[in-house]
Amino acid sequence: MTLVGEGRQPQHGGTETVKDPLVELYDEAAAELEKEQSSLIITDESQDKIPEAPTSQLEKGPAKGFACLAPPQEESTQNPNQYIIDKLKELRSIYESKQGDTDTFKVFNLNKVIGDLSRVKHKITTRAQALKLQGSGAKTADKIMEIIATGELQRIQAEDTEEYRVCKLFAGIYDVGAKRAHQWYGMGLRTLEDVEKHKEEIRLTRNQSIGLKYYNDLQERIPRAEASAIFDKIRETAMTLDGNATVYIMGSYRRGEQTCGDIDLLLTRDPTDGITHAGMLHKLLDRLHEQGILTDDLVIPPDNRALEQKYMGVGRLPPDGKMRRIDILAIPYDQKGAALIYFTGDDLFNRSIRLLARKKGYSLNQRGLYGGVGRDTKGKKLSEGTIIASKTEKEIFDVLGVPWREPHERRRK
DNA sequence: TAGCAGCTTTT
DNA sequence: AAAAGC
DNA sequence: GCTA
Ligand SMILES: O=c1ccn([C@H]2C[C@H](O)[C@@H](COP(=O)(O)OP(=O)(O)OP(=O)(O)O)O2)c(=O)[nH]1
Ligand SMILES: [Mg+2]
C-alpha cells in the first residue's frame, strides 16, 4: 500500500476533440487547483503507472450540462450565493422525504442547480442570471428570485409540516427510508420513543433495530482524525493477515473532507505472485470483532471466498469511541480503477460520469467501463458488453475524455 | 416527450 | 417486486 | 422540474 500525499498527477485530459461536450471542463481543470494539501490521503494510482490508454474517442454525441463534472471550484473562498444554496437544500430535503415519483426528479434537478450555483463565482442578482444556471428553468428561477428578495421560500414554509419533520427523524434510523417513515407516521408514531415502544407491532427489521439502538451516534459525522485512527487499526490488522494486502480509505475521507458520514474501506491484493485475497475479508472481520472495533454486522458477505465482497457494519475506535458505520469493499485487483472511482464518489459525481459514459455508448459501473452494452428501447441494460478499461482511474477518465480530477474535486458542494 | 447511474441486499 | 442502501 |  502506498501512502501518498495529495500530489498532482496526471494532467492531460482525454483528448481535444472537436466539439467535445465537456470542453468547458478541460481548460478549467487545467486551471488552478487548490492547496488543501494538509491531509495525507491514501491513494495509489500514483504508483500504478499505466501507460495511457490512448483515449479513444469515437464520435461523441452532444452532451452538456454535466454539472457534477464541471470545473474544480475554489475551496477557501466562501460562496456568494450560500444563502440561496441553503434554501434550495432545505427544499431538496423536503422533496427527498416525499415518495412521489416526480419528487425524485425534482431532487435530481435541484441537485443540478445547487451544484452549479455552488461553483459559480458571481453573486446571482437577476432572473436572467438565475435562468442561466444549469437545471434552472422558470420555476426554479422564480424560487431563486423569491429567496433573493425575501430571504425565504414560501414553498418551504408550506411544506415544513409536522409530518415532514417526524418523517425526517424516522428516516434518520438506518434502514428506514421515506416509505417506512410515512407508514409509521400514518400509524400515529411521532417520536423515537414511540418507535421503541411499538417495535413489536411495527416489526422492526434487524438492521432497523441496530440503527435505532445507535441513533444518536450514527447521526453524527466522524472527525477526520478519528476516521484516520480507525483506518490505521483496521489496516494494521489486515496487514498481519497478509502483508501484501492493499487497504484504502475511500468515500468522503479520500475526497479530503474534514468529517465523514461513515468509514469506507477498499480491500484488494496484487495477485501477480499467484496469491489473492480470497477468504481474507472473512478473517479480517473476525479479528476486528475480537478487537472490539466491529460490534454489529448489517450485511455480511454470503460467499467468503469470492474476490468481490461487501461488508457493512457498525463499530468504534476501541475501547469506547462513538459508534460508527463501517463499510468494507473487497474487489478483484484488476478492477481497482473502476472501484476507486465508484467508492471515491461523490454520488453525484458518479452519476454524472456514468451518464456521460452512457451517452458515449459505454456503461460504467463499480467493476469497469464496458462497451457494446445491449440495451432495450428504454435504455435498460440487457447484456453486459465487453470490458474496455478498469485497472486505473486515469485509464477510464481518458477513454471518456474526462480531464483528471483529484478526489477532492469530485464533489458537489 | 423521453430520460434522469448502476448496482446489491433484505423483506 | 419494493424498499433501502452504497 | 429541466432539457436535448
Ligand atoms: O447512491 C450512491 C451512494 C454512494 N455511492 C458511492 C459514492 C460514495 O462516495 C461512495 C461511498 O458512499 P457513502 O454513502 O459513504 O458516501 P460518502 O461520499 O463517503 O459520504 P459520507 O461522508 O456521507 O459517507 O459510494 C454511489 O455511487 N451511489
Ligand atoms: Mg462514506
Side-chain angles (χ1 to χ4, degrees):
Chain A
M1 129 184 6
T2 40
L3 229 196
V4 180
E6 188 167 325
R8 300 288 84 104
Q9 233 75 279
Q11 187 49 301
H12 52 236
T15 48
E16 20 275 306
T17 2
V18 201
K19 33 142 84 272
D20 189 299
L22 296 176
V23 269
E24 19 157 14
L25 313 186
Y26 296 64
D27 31 309
E28 302 267 12
E32 32 92 355
L33 304 187
E34 266 8 292
K35 57 311 70 202
E36 172 75 16
Q37 262 20 356
S38 44
S39 48
L40 284 185
I41 292 194
I42 302 297
T43 75
D44 51 83
E45 288 282 287
S46 351
Q47 319 300 85
D48 312 357
K49 34 46 212 321
I50 266 168
E52 265 8 67
T55 311
S56 64
Q57 190 136 300
L58 321 179
E59 29 74 28
K60 66 245 22 308
K64 185 198 54 187
F66 284 82
C68 300
L69 281 178
Q73 54 188 136
E74 294 93 72
E75 320 226 340
S76 45
T77 82
Q78 104 113 43
N79 195 296
N81 301 302
Q82 191 58 48
Y83 71 108
I84 302 177
I85 293 171
D86 291 342
K87 281 292 164 204
L88 293 182
K89 282 183 174 173
E90 274 185 62
L91 187 61
R92 180 181 64 185
S93 165
I94 286 166
Y95 290 147
E96 274 170 349
S97 87
K98 301 225 223 176
Q99 345 169 36
D101 37 337
T102 63
D103 299 311
T104 306
F105 300 111
K106 292 182 183 182
V107 170
F108 174 89
N109 213 65
L110 273 175
N111 277 330
K112 278 198 143 168
V113 179
I114 291 168
D116 206 29
L117 200 46
S118 64
R119 73 177 64 86
V120 117
K121 291 166 251 3
H122 60 281
K123 186 163 180 161
I124 304 291
T125 56
T126 69
R127 193 185 146 89
Q129 289 175 319
L131 271 172
K132 283 201 188 107
L133 294 167
Q134 205 39 249
S136 175
K139 309 269 259 300
T140 306
D142 284 346
K143 292 186 176 78
I144 290 175
M145 294 316 290
E146 184 188 339
I147 296 169
I148 291 173
T150 70
E152 294 298 324
L153 241 191
Q154 292 224 216
R155 185 62 176 272
I156 291 178
Q157 315 221 302
E159 308 249 23
D160 188 5
T161 59
E162 185 197 22
E163 174 159 7
Y164 162 67
R165 288 170 179 271
V166 169
C167 289
K168 211 180 163 191
L169 175 81
F170 290 167
I173 301 172
Y174 186 88
D175 202 30
V176 174
K179 214 76 190 184
R180 193 57 52 98
H182 282 277
Q183 181 191 326
W184 291 350
Y185 186 87
M187 297 168 56
L189 306 191
R190 295 293 182 271
T191 67
L192 294 180
E193 291 68 37
D194 289 343
V195 173
E196 174 68 40
K197 198 179 342 166
H198 296 89
K199 59 182 174 191
E200 306 299 335
E201 306 111 271
I202 63 181
R203 308 189 47 106
L204 288 184
T205 66
R206 184 192 128 75
N207 288 345
Q208 286 165 356
S209 295
I210 295 171
L212 183 59
K213 177 167 60 166
Y214 301 133
Y215 190 90
N216 294 115
D217 279 1
L218 296 187
Q219 280 304 307
E220 293 186 37
R221 292 187 64 85
I222 309 167
R224 189 176 177 83
E226 182 185 335
S228 182
I230 293 174
F231 169 56
D232 285 345
K233 290 209 174 301
I234 295 178
R235 178 181 48 186
E236 195 172 319
T237 301
M239 297 311 271
T240 65
L241 291 174
D242 184 340
N244 289 308
T246 297
V247 186
Y248 301 138
I249 181 165
M250 308 294 298
S252 46
Y253 188 98
R254 187 179 183 227
R255 297 197 307 277
E257 293 186 19
Q258 288 308 301
T259 65
C260 305
D262 63 3
I263 294 182
D264 302 297
L265 303 178
L266 192 66
L267 171 68
T268 188
R269 188 196 192 284
D270 185 340
T272 48
D273 62 0
I275 302 174
T276 72
H277 57 280
M280 178 177 173
L281 180 57
H282 182 78
K283 283 188 214 148
L284 177 61
L285 297 176
D286 282 349
R287 298 292 169 276
L288 296 177
H289 273 286
E290 288 165 12
Q291 296 172 82
I293 295 173
L294 287 180
T295 58
D296 299 79
D297 301 322
L298 296 168
V299 178
I300 306 183
D303 172 8
N304 60 33
R305 297 295 301 174
L307 290 181
E308 180 188 311
Q309 300 183 310
K310 181 153 81 166
Y311 169 82
M312 299 169 64
V314 178
R316 57 158 43 128
L317 188 61
D320 57 4
K322 289 186 176 173
M323 306 308 295
R324 309 298 195 184
R325 279 274 298 104
I326 297 175
D327 287 355
I328 307 177
L329 181 64
I331 52 140
Y333 194 74
D334 63 350
Q335 297 178 0
K336 187 149 68 84
L340 281 166
I341 291 176
Y342 161 66
F343 222 23
T344 298
D346 65 17
D347 54 350
L348 294 188
F349 178 89
N350 287 353
R351 292 169 68 170
S352 183
I353 194 173
R354 286 175 180 203
L355 180 61
L356 178 65
R358 168 186 276 252
K359 293 230 162 112
K360 293 197 174 188
Y362 304 102
S363 178
L364 177 64
N365 62 25
Q366 62 269 43
R367 305 190 179 92
L369 181 66
Y370 296 81
V373 178
R375 290 197 162 92
D376 68 15
T377 45
K378 294 189 175 64
K380 218 189 84 173
K381 184 169 133 179
L382 296 177
S383 68
E384 218 191 27
T386 59
I387 187 75
I388 304 263
S390 68
K391 292 183 167 53
T392 70
E393 295 182 294
K394 179 159 171 18
E395 175 189 19
I396 293 170
F397 282 7
D398 281 350
V399 174
L400 293 176
V402 171
W404 175 254
R405 316 297 297 283
E406 292 295 332
H408 75 274
E409 295 166 345
R410 304 177 198 174
R411 70 188 191 285
R412 62 181 121 205
K413 224 358 169 298

